[in-house]
Amino acid sequence: MAKTAIIGGGAAGFFLAVNLKEMMPEMEVTIFERAHRVLQKVAISGGGRCNCTNTFEGIGDLQAVYPRGHRLMKRLMKGFSQRDAYEWFERHGVRLVTQADECVFPQSQDSQTIIDCFLHYCRRDGVQIRTGSRVNTLAELSDYDYVCVTIGGQPRQESLGWLAEAGHEIELPVPSLFTFNIDDHGLRSLMGTVVEQASVMIPATSFRASGPLLLTHWGMSGPAILRLSSYAARYLSECGYRSAVSVNWTGLREDEVSTQLQEISMVNPQKHLASVRPFDLPQRLWSNLLEKNLEAKGAKRWAELSRKDRNRMVNMLVNDTYTISGRAPFKDEFVTCGGISLRSVNPATLESRSVKGLYFAGEVLDIDGVTGGFNFQAAWTTAYTVAQAIAKAANKAG
């Protein structure tokens, strides 16, 4: 009987195990997890709801959601796509719902539903789960025919040393999907303020993102910031997390903002600036921007705006610049870019080019996505690819 060892009891490891047993019921499959609990990241993801995939509606280029690994994901998703993942979970008893933002969650709104699904099928099909079992070398698993590494993102390069020694190229791991520390008292005083349609960018670079932006007691967060941190992960790491960040509070072009401000002036000439919020900006934010950027502040009337005032107002709305003073990583949930270089694996099977019978799936590979269910989709897609590759290899060998 052929034997497969899976190192890592996370999303990719369990998905791989369940699918491999369904493809090859006679295969002996064992999951080795160094912690005493499995699927811990699944449990806390999405605020405990588990944003398990995305519809990918409106996404024309995968690079927009996979800053690293988009070409490989495009290839692999032909074999197991987001639609396949949706159908897989529904078929295995997990009802799903799609939000307005195209994120997909369990209907139960509880990540435990997905954990229970994985554990149920592992028990049903006889997958062995060994917790508290750390694997330090491939030699420890020499009696297994196939070995799969699904250990997730590793913040420290040393954690991948044993795989580097086996001949694999390692892309330097750095944090991705983090929020920004910004030392600005006025900004921090707006804690809890949300701007739904903001655009953010790193000046003098091509890194930019858009979406809801949340002001916090430490700086900036929300989907727009998380996406920007993902796109600029390596750049910000090299800068020591010290960089300018420019905010467009409207999400519109400069000329569009200028035109709308002129219209507001014509319609509300005698009203004070502070009393008319353009672009549905939160009142506290609008008052703060006026306080910071216009000498007359909110007491001035719209009809009294000079051309210079209006230009300054346009600039403060579309190019409000702050200084990032550090990153604020999630304490329990984060994504790492880097890991096993995609040059070290066969792109069709994810088998190691250095060690026959060794495969990789999930975030340990140099594939990472922005927030919105894309990292879980990468886990399902890569894990399914490996399960299929092992089943094919085992059938051929047998």
Side-chain angles (χ1 to χ4, degrees):
M1 179 187 297
K3 298 167 61 178
T4 295
I6 298 173
I7 308 171
F14 270 84
F15 200 73
L16 198 165
V18 172
N19 279 284
L20 182 55
K21 286 295 288 186
E22 290 184 349
M23 294 173 190
M24 291 200 74
E26 68 277 17
M27 175 75 73
E28 182 180 310
V29 178
T30 303
I31 295 174
F32 295 87
E33 169 55 49
R34 66 182 179 182
H36 293 285
R37 289 176 56 206
V38 296
L39 298 162
Q40 293 186 63
K41 193 169 180 180
V42 172
I44 62 175
S45 68
R49 298 188 299 139
C50 191
N51 181 187
C52 57
T53 188
N54 192 286
T55 67
F56 286 69
E57 280 294 317
I59 297 170
D61 183 353
L62 286 186
Q63 189 170 11
V65 293
Y66 291 108
R68 287 149 291 271
H70 64 282
R71 292 187 181 87
L72 181 59
M73 283 301 296
K74 182 178 181 180
R75 172 178 183 156
L76 297 182
M77 286 179 70
K78 293 176 182 176
F80 194 83
S81 68
Q82 74 277 13
R83 289 179 293 277
D84 295 320
Y86 193 107
E87 292 170 5
W88 190 96
F89 281 107
E90 291 263 329
R91 195 167 63 248
H92 287 78
V94 178
R95 297 295 174 212
L96 301 176
V97 292
T98 302
Q99 296 185 164
D101 61 1
E102 309 302 336
C103 292
V104 178
F105 289 85
Q107 189 177 68
S108 64
Q109 298 294 301
D110 188 349
S111 57
Q112 191 63 41
T113 304
I114 288 181
I115 294 173
D116 291 343
C117 168
F118 288 156
L119 293 176
H120 166 74
Y121 283 99
C122 281
R123 283 193 297 268
R124 187 197 73 172
D125 296 336
V127 174
Q128 298 178 50
I129 303 172
R130 297 185 184 176
T131 56
S133 298
R134 180 186 291 271
V135 177
N136 297 305
T137 65
L138 294 173
E140 297 173 38
L141 302 174
S142 58
D143 57 335
Y144 285 85
D145 302 281
Y146 308 98
V147 175
C148 314
V149 179
T150 60
I151 57 177
Q154 300 297 305
R156 293 175 299 140
Q157 190 169 7
E158 310 88 78
S159 302
L160 300 171
W162 59 291
L163 293 168
E165 290 172 5
H168 303 96
E169 185 179 345
I170 307 297
E171 298 290 349
L172 179 67
V174 299
S176 181
L177 292 186
F178 51 86
T179 59
F180 295 167
N181 283 335
I182 296 176
D183 294 325
D184 184 295
H185 178 73
L187 191 72
R188 291 185 175 191
S189 70
L190 301 175
M191 176 182 67
T193 299
V194 177
V195 178
E196 293 294 342
Q197 297 295 330
S199 297
V200 290
M201 64 173 291
I202 305 294
T205 75
S206 61
F207 303 121
R208 60 191 67 227
S210 59
L213 188 154
L214 169 66
L215 299 178
T216 69
H217 66 275
W218 65 84
M220 294 181 184
S221 184
I225 295 298
L226 292 174
R227 286 196 171 209
L228 184 63
S229 76
S230 180
Y231 297 148
R234 292 204 178 280
Y235 174 85
L236 290 172
S237 174
E238 291 166 2
C239 291
Y241 304 100
R242 300 291 189 275
S243 170
V245 60
S246 174
V247 183
N248 180 333
W249 298 107
T250 71
L252 300 174
R253 297 193 315 270
E254 185 174 322
D255 61 318
E256 294 175 316
V257 172
S258 181
T259 298
Q260 290 197 36
L261 289 179
Q262 289 181 33
E263 292 174 355
I264 291 173
S265 295
M266 293 172 63
V267 174
N268 306 279
Q270 297 307 313
K271 290 188 177 180
H272 292 117
L273 299 180
S275 68
V276 180
R277 296 179 294 114
F279 313 103
D280 292 322
L281 292 177
Q283 183 63 58
R284 286 199 301 158
L285 173 62
W286 177 236
S287 297
N288 176 271
L289 291 173
L290 291 174
E291 179 85 16
K292 185 174 71 170
N293 290 278
L294 291 182
E295 295 173 3
K297 305 185 175 74
K300 202 168 195 174
R301 300 179 190 277
W302 282 93
E304 297 169 349
L305 279 180
S306 66
R307 178 176 292 181
K308 182 179 178 180
D309 286 335
R310 186 174 293 110
N311 289 340
R312 188 181 299 167
M313 186 181 287
V314 170
N315 189 64
M316 81 182 188
L317 288 169
V318 303
N319 187 31
D320 195 18
T321 303
Y322 299 87
T323 300
I324 301 169
S325 58
R327 65 181 177 86
F330 294 112
K331 292 182 179 178
D332 299 308
E333 178 187 1
F334 60 89
V335 172
T336 302
C337 78
I340 300 297
S341 171
L342 302 186
R343 293 184 292 273
S344 291
V345 299
N346 181 323
T349 63
L350 302 182
E351 183 178 15
S352 164
R353 294 187 187 275
S354 304
V355 183
K356 185 174 176 55
L358 176 65
Y359 298 80
F360 298 93
E363 200 185 327
V364 69
L365 289 162
D366 186 24
I367 300 173
D368 65 284
V370 300
T371 184
F374 302 104
N375 285 294
F376 273 128
Q377 183 59 49
W380 316 141
T381 295
T382 55
Y384 190 88
T385 298
V386 171
Q388 206 168 45
I390 290 175
K392 184 176 180 180
N395 279 322
K396 186 175 181 181

Coordinates of all heavy atoms in Angstrom, one line a residue, residues 141-178:
L141 N 11.0 10.9 7.1 CA 9.8 10.3 6.4 C 10.3 9.4 5.3 O 9.5 9.3 4.3 CB 9.0 11.5 5.9 CG 8.5 12.5 6.9 CD1 7.7 13.6 6.3 CD2 7.5 11.7 7.9
S142 N 11.4 8.8 5.4 CA 12.0 8.0 4.3 C 11.1 6.8 4.0 O 11.2 6.2 2.9 CB 13.4 7.5 4.7 OG 13.4 6.8 5.9
D143 N 10.2 6.3 4.9 CA 9.4 5.2 4.6 C 8.1 5.5 3.9 O 7.3 4.7 3.7 CB 9.1 4.4 5.9 CG 8.4 5.3 7.0 OD1 8.6 6.5 6.9 OD2 7.7 4.7 7.8
Y144 N 7.9 6.8 3.6 CA 6.7 7.2 2.8 C 7.1 7.4 1.3 O 8.2 7.8 1.0 CB 6.2 8.6 3.3 CG 5.5 8.5 4.7 CD1 6.2 8.5 5.9 CD2 4.1 8.3 4.7 CE1 5.6 8.4 7.1 CE2 3.5 8.2 5.9 CZ 4.2 8.2 7.1 OH 3.5 8.1 8.3
D145 N 6.1 7.0 0.5 CA 6.4 7.0 -0.9 C 6.3 8.5 -1.4 O 7.0 8.8 -2.4 CB 5.3 6.2 -1.6 CG 5.3 4.7 -1.2 OD1 6.2 4.0 -1.7 OD2 4.5 4.4 -0.3
Y146 N 5.4 9.3 -0.8 CA 5.2 10.6 -1.2 C 5.1 11.5 0.0 O 4.6 11.2 1.0 CB 3.9 10.8 -2.0 CG 3.8 9.8 -3.2 CD1 3.0 8.6 -3.0 CD2 4.4 10.0 -4.4 CE1 3.0 7.7 -4.1 CE2 4.3 9.1 -5.4 CZ 3.6 8.0 -5.3 OH 3.6 7.0 -6.3
V147 N 5.7 12.7 -0.1 CA 5.7 13.7 1.0 C 5.2 15.0 0.4 O 5.7 15.5 -0.6 CB 7.1 13.8 1.6 CG1 7.1 14.9 2.7 CG2 7.6 12.5 2.2
C148 N 4.3 15.6 1.2 CA 3.8 16.9 0.8 C 4.1 18.0 1.9 O 3.8 17.7 3.0 CB 2.3 16.9 0.5 SG 1.8 15.5 -0.4
V149 N 4.6 19.1 1.5 CA 4.9 20.1 2.5 C 3.8 21.2 2.4 O 3.7 21.9 1.3 CB 6.3 20.8 2.3 CG1 6.6 21.9 3.3 CG2 7.4 19.7 2.4
T150 N 3.1 21.4 3.4 CA 2.0 22.4 3.5 C 2.0 23.1 4.8 O 1.0 23.3 5.5 CB 0.6 21.7 3.3 OG1 0.4 20.7 4.4 CG2 0.5 20.9 2.0
I151 N 3.2 23.6 5.1 CA 3.5 24.3 6.4 C 3.1 25.7 6.5 O 3.2 26.4 7.5 CB 4.9 24.1 6.8 CG1 5.9 24.7 5.8 CG2 5.3 22.7 7.1 CD1 7.3 24.7 6.1
G152 N 2.5 26.3 5.4 CA 2.1 27.7 5.4 C 3.2 28.6 5.3 O 4.4 28.3 5.0
G153 N 2.9 29.9 5.4 CA 3.9 31.0 5.3 C 4.8 30.9 6.5 O 4.4 30.7 7.6
Q154 N 6.1 31.1 6.3 CA 7.1 31.0 7.3 C 7.7 32.4 7.5 O 8.5 32.8 6.6 CB 8.1 30.0 7.0 CG 7.6 28.6 6.9 CD 7.0 28.1 8.2 OE1 7.6 28.1 9.3 NE2 5.7 27.7 8.2
P155 N 7.5 33.1 8.6 CA 8.0 34.5 8.7 C 9.5 34.5 8.7 O 10.1 35.5 8.3 CB 7.5 34.9 10.1 CG 6.3 34.0 10.3 CD 6.6 32.7 9.7
R156 N 10.2 33.4 9.1 CA 11.6 33.4 9.2 C 12.2 32.5 8.2 O 11.8 31.3 8.1 CB 12.1 33.0 10.6 CG 11.7 34.1 11.7 CD 12.1 33.6 13.1 NE 11.3 32.4 13.4 CZ 11.9 31.3 14.0 NH1 13.1 31.3 14.4 NH2 11.1 30.3 14.3
Q157 N 13.2 32.9 7.5 CA 13.9 32.1 6.4 C 14.5 30.9 7.0 O 14.5 29.8 6.4 CB 14.9 33.0 5.7 CG 15.5 32.3 4.4 CD 16.3 33.2 3.6 OE1 16.6 34.4 4.0 NE2 16.7 32.8 2.4
E158 N 15.0 30.9 8.3 CA 15.6 29.8 8.9 C 14.7 28.6 9.0 O 15.1 27.4 9.0 CB 16.1 30.1 10.3 CG 16.9 31.4 10.4 CD 16.0 32.6 10.6 OE1 15.6 32.9 11.8 OE2 15.8 33.3 9.6
S159 N 13.3 28.9 9.0 CA 12.4 27.8 9.1 C 12.3 26.9 7.9 O 11.8 25.8 7.9 CB 11.0 28.4 9.4 OG 10.9 29.1 10.6
L160 N 12.9 27.5 6.8 CA 12.9 26.8 5.5 C 14.3 26.2 5.2 O 14.5 25.7 4.1 CB 12.4 27.7 4.4 CG 11.0 28.3 4.5 CD1 10.8 29.4 3.5 CD2 10.0 27.2 4.4
G161 N 15.2 26.3 6.2 CA 16.5 25.9 5.9 C 16.7 24.4 5.5 O 17.5 24.1 4.7
W162 N 15.9 23.5 6.1 CA 15.9 22.1 5.8 C 15.5 21.8 4.4 O 16.0 20.9 3.7 CB 15.1 21.3 6.8 CG 13.6 21.7 6.8 CD1 13.1 22.8 7.3 CD2 12.5 20.9 6.4 NE1 11.7 22.8 7.2 CE2 11.3 21.6 6.6 CE3 12.4 19.6 5.8 CZ2 10.1 21.1 6.3 CZ3 11.2 19.1 5.5 CH2 10.0 19.9 5.7
L163 N 14.6 22.7 3.8 CA 14.2 22.6 2.4 C 15.2 23.2 1.5 O 15.4 22.7 0.4 CB 12.8 23.2 2.2 CG 11.7 22.5 3.0 CD1 10.4 23.3 3.0 CD2 11.4 21.1 2.4
A164 N 15.9 24.2 1.9 CA 17.0 24.8 1.2 C 18.1 23.8 1.0 O 18.8 23.6 0.0 CB 17.5 26.1 1.8
E165 N 18.4 23.1 2.1 CA 19.5 22.1 2.1 C 19.2 20.9 1.2 O 20.1 20.3 0.6 CB 19.7 21.5 3.5 CG 20.3 22.5 4.5 CD 20.3 22.0 5.9 OE1 19.9 20.9 6.1 OE2 20.7 22.8 6.8
A166 N 17.9 20.7 0.9 CA 17.5 19.7 0.0 C 17.5 20.1 -1.5 O 17.2 19.4 -2.4 CB 16.1 19.2 0.3
G167 N 18.0 21.4 -1.7 CA 18.2 21.9 -3.1 C 17.2 22.8 -3.6 O 17.1 23.1 -4.8
H168 N 16.3 23.4 -2.7 CA 15.2 24.3 -3.1 C 15.7 25.7 -3.0 O 16.2 26.1 -2.0 CB 14.0 24.0 -2.4 CG 13.5 22.6 -2.5 ND1 13.8 21.6 -1.6 CD2 12.8 22.0 -3.5 CE1 13.2 20.5 -1.9 NE2 12.6 20.7 -3.1
E169 N 15.3 26.5 -4.0 CA 15.6 28.0 -3.9 C 14.5 28.6 -3.0 O 13.3 28.3 -3.2 CB 15.6 28.5 -5.3 CG 16.0 30.0 -5.4 CD 15.9 30.5 -6.8 OE1 15.9 29.7 -7.8 OE2 16.0 31.8 -7.0
I170 N 15.0 29.5 -2.1 CA 14.0 30.1 -1.2 C 13.9 31.6 -1.5 O 14.9 32.3 -1.6 CB 14.5 30.0 0.2 CG1 14.8 28.5 0.6 CG2 13.5 30.6 1.2 CD1 13.5 27.6 0.5
E171 N 12.7 32.1 -1.7 CA 12.5 33.5 -1.9 C 12.3 34.1 -0.5 O 11.6 33.6 0.4 CB 11.2 33.8 -2.7 CG 11.2 33.3 -4.1 CD 12.2 34.1 -5.0 OE1 12.7 35.1 -4.6 OE2 12.4 33.6 -6.1
L172 N 13.0 35.2 -0.2 CA 13.1 35.7 1.2 C 11.6 36.0 1.7 O 10.9 36.7 1.1 CB 13.9 37.0 1.2 CG 13.9 37.7 2.6 CD1 14.7 36.9 3.6 CD2 14.5 39.1 2.4
P173 N 11.2 35.4 2.8 CA 9.9 35.6 3.3 C 9.8 37.0 4.0 O 10.7 37.4 4.7 CB 9.7 34.6 4.4 CG 10.8 33.6 4.2 CD 11.9 34.4 3.6
V174 N 8.8 37.8 3.6 CA 8.5 39.1 4.3 C 7.0 39.2 4.5 O 6.2 38.5 3.8 CB 9.0 40.3 3.4 CG1 10.5 40.2 3.2 CG2 8.3 40.4 2.1
P175 N 6.6 39.9 5.5 CA 5.1 40.0 5.8 C 4.4 40.7 4.6 O 4.9 41.5 3.9 CB 5.1 40.9 7.0 CG 6.4 40.8 7.6 CD 7.4 40.7 6.5
S176 N 3.1 40.2 4.5 CA 2.2 40.8 3.5 C 0.9 41.0 4.2 O 0.7 40.4 5.3 CB 2.0 39.9 2.3 OG 1.1 40.5 1.4
L177 N -0.1 41.8 3.7 CA -1.3 42.0 4.4 C -1.2 42.6 5.8 O -1.5 41.9 6.8 CB -2.2 40.8 4.3 CG -2.7 40.3 3.0 CD1 -3.7 39.1 3.2 CD2 -3.4 41.4 2.2
F178 N -0.7 43.8 5.9 CA -0.6 44.4 7.2 C -1.1 45.8 7.2 O -1.3 46.4 6.1 CB 0.9 44.4 7.7 CG 1.9 44.9 6.7 CD1 2.1 46.3 6.6 CD2 2.5 44.0 5.8 CE1 3.1 46.7 5.7 CE2 3.4 44.5 4.9 CZ 3.7 45.9 4.8

